[in-house]
Amino acid sequence: MSRKNTKRILVTGSTGQIGSELTLELRKRYGGDNVIAAGHKRQPSETLLTSGPFEYVDLSNEESIEKAIRKYDVDTIYHLAAVLSATGEENPQAAWAINMGSLYNILEVARKLKLAQIFWPSSIAAFGPSAPRTNTPQETILIPKTMYGVSKVAGELLCNYYFIRFGLDVRGIRYPGIISSEVLPGGGTTDYAVAIFYDAIRSKRYTCFVREDTVLPMMYMPDCIKATIDLMEVDPSKVKRHDSYNVAGMSFSAGELAAEIRKYVPDFRCDYKPDFRQKIADSWPMSIDDSVARNEWGWKPKYDLAAMTKDMIERLSKRFNEGKL
Ligand code: SER
């Protein structure tokens, strides 16, 4: 493919839970050399290093971002690097500085260099307890109680501003908790929904840091990647919002997840010892109304709790049996 006919993409946070899988999918679609994985701290996997370029980029420094954009002739950025909700409550100052600082720098570089498209994820954390907790609508009160959520609401507004004021094509999704089998999430409140699988396979025991009846919106990685790329690929005329779209996958309680896992690991035991993350979970929606995304750009998830659990168990069991888990 000639460079002129395809997107040239930079993915920040490419070593993270979502970035590691999204980068590989983008490379499949657009060619390895056209998707530059950007990282900072976490060591990139062998697959990430061998399937296309990898670049250390300091997102707190506009020049570092600009240098990478020019070096690789990038026109599209997926900006995934962020401090998540639980880590954000341990160090709110750093969460604000990193989340807002990096987004502002990305948007500024994109404006100056007239980039074609930016993807930036918001989160269910943008909502707070004053929003309806079931079927939380696209448009509702956004008063989050975490610094992570504050950075998401501010980020949504900033993205929308860059679209209105500078015509920058920024698109975003409010991700639910993302469940995946390749790279563990770090520092989020929904991390238990991933860790429970690893521990069920490894030791048949898990101590969950939220109560058994805690219900949160979740999504399996293949749906997360599909939603992200679908939104970025859809014709601009269909994208009516440039803050962020609600998308839903599934909703279940921690207890329901444990029960589903027990269908494959009958003697699996889950204990519940809620910690400070319970309060965060209690301030978030339990289910999401994503009808706007469905109507405007055709969003539709594929995985429910049963299909996701089956696939997770199969993948992790295989790795465990090969001595790789
Ligand atoms: N998974 C994220 C978190 O728990 C929510 O966006 O922080």
Side-chain angles (χ1 to χ4, degrees):
M1 251 189 284
S2 108
R3 275 167 73 146
K4 282 184 194 137
N5 294 336
T6 185
K7 294 185 181 195
R8 299 273 298 169
I9 300 171
L10 181 85
V11 184
T12 76
S14 70
T15 57
Q17 185 201 11
I18 299 174
S20 56
E21 294 197 46
L22 181 68
T23 304
L24 297 184
E25 182 57 33
L26 291 169
R27 283 180 173 165
K28 265 193 220 152
R29 291 185 189 219
Y30 303 105
D33 286 345
N34 293 316
V35 182
I36 295 86
H40 193 39
K41 279 194 191 131
R42 239 198 249 195
Q43 183 60 29
S45 70
E46 203 47 36
T47 327
L48 206 60
L49 282 177
T50 51
S51 57
F54 184 87
E55 191 75 21
Y56 280 92
V57 179
D58 178 1
L59 297 173
S60 69
N61 179 339
E62 254 184 70
E63 271 169 38
S64 172
I65 302 169
E66 199 171 322
K67 216 171 116 198
I69 302 288
R70 289 190 190 278
K71 177 172 171 190
Y72 293 100
D73 199 13
V74 165
D75 53 39
T76 302
I77 304 177
Y78 286 71
H79 175 36
L80 302 180
V83 172
L84 296 188
S85 58
T87 312
E89 284 320 284
E90 281 162 353
N91 192 345
Q93 294 78 9
W96 174 265
I98 293 168
N99 292 358
M100 293 315 295
S102 65
L103 177 61
Y104 179 77
N105 288 341
I106 293 276
L107 293 173
E108 266 302 282
V109 171
R111 175 186 71 79
K112 281 194 235 156
L113 302 184
K114 300 193 177 1
L115 300 195
Q117 263 193 323
I118 305 295
F119 176 83
W120 176 78
S122 182
S123 159
I124 51 165
F127 302 108
S130 47
R133 287 195 72 209
T134 51
N135 281 326
T136 309
Q138 175 72 47
E139 302 254 10
T140 185
I141 300 162
L142 296 177
I143 309 181
K145 296 281 187 188
T146 61
M147 181 54 96
Y148 176 66
V150 169
S151 76
K152 289 301 183 190
V153 175
E156 287 190 10
L157 297 174
L158 195 61
C159 288
N160 193 46
Y161 179 82
Y162 270 71
F163 171 72
I164 296 167
R165 179 75 169 77
F166 306 115
L168 186 64
D169 185 357
V170 192
R171 305 180 184 190
I173 280 174
R174 288 175 180 147
Y175 284 146
I178 304 297
I179 299 169
S180 67
S181 59
E182 300 305 307
V183 172
L184 284 167
T189 302
T190 57
D191 291 11
Y192 66 88
V194 182
I196 192 172
F197 282 100
Y198 280 73
D199 283 14
I201 299 292
R202 280 196 285 232
S203 61
K204 301 184 180 174
R205 293 271 179 285
Y206 180 63
T207 305
C208 185
F209 58 75
V210 295
R211 278 191 325 266
E212 189 171 4
D213 63 355
T214 304
V215 178
L216 285 173
M218 302 278 178
M219 180 175 277
Y220 196 34
M221 185 62 91
D223 277 336
C224 168
I225 290 178
K226 186 179 180 305
T228 306
I229 300 180
D230 279 2
L231 175 62
M232 287 294 272
E233 285 298 322
V234 81
D235 191 83
S237 63
K238 298 209 166 141
V239 183
K240 310 251 192 286
R241 316 190 55 97
H242 292 270
D243 42 11
S244 253
Y245 281 96
N246 279 10
V247 291
M250 57 191 100
S251 281
F252 51 76
S253 69
E256 284 165 342
L257 176 58
E260 193 65 30
I261 292 174
R262 226 167 271 126
K263 291 182 184 166
Y264 302 88
V265 186
D267 42 355
F268 173 52
R269 195 176 123 188
C270 190
D271 299 308
Y272 300 88
K273 273 201 191 135
D275 65 15
F276 72 101
R277 290 168 282 194
Q278 183 68 53
K279 206 170 140 202
I280 302 177
D282 289 342
S283 75
W284 287 354
M286 294 191 284
S287 60
I288 296 289
D289 174 0
D290 62 357
S291 51
V292 175
R294 285 174 185 257
N295 293 336
E296 288 185 8
W297 48 275
W299 162 243
K300 199 168 172 244
K302 200 172 143 211
Y303 284 86
D304 59 11
L305 173 61
M308 177 276 291
T309 303
K310 182 171 182 287
D311 200 57
M312 281 291 285
I313 297 278
E314 277 170 11
R315 284 170 184 275
L316 295 181
S317 302
K318 185 166 176 284
R319 291 227 305 276
F320 183 73
N321 294 334
E322 291 166 352
K324 292 182 191 154
L325 195 73

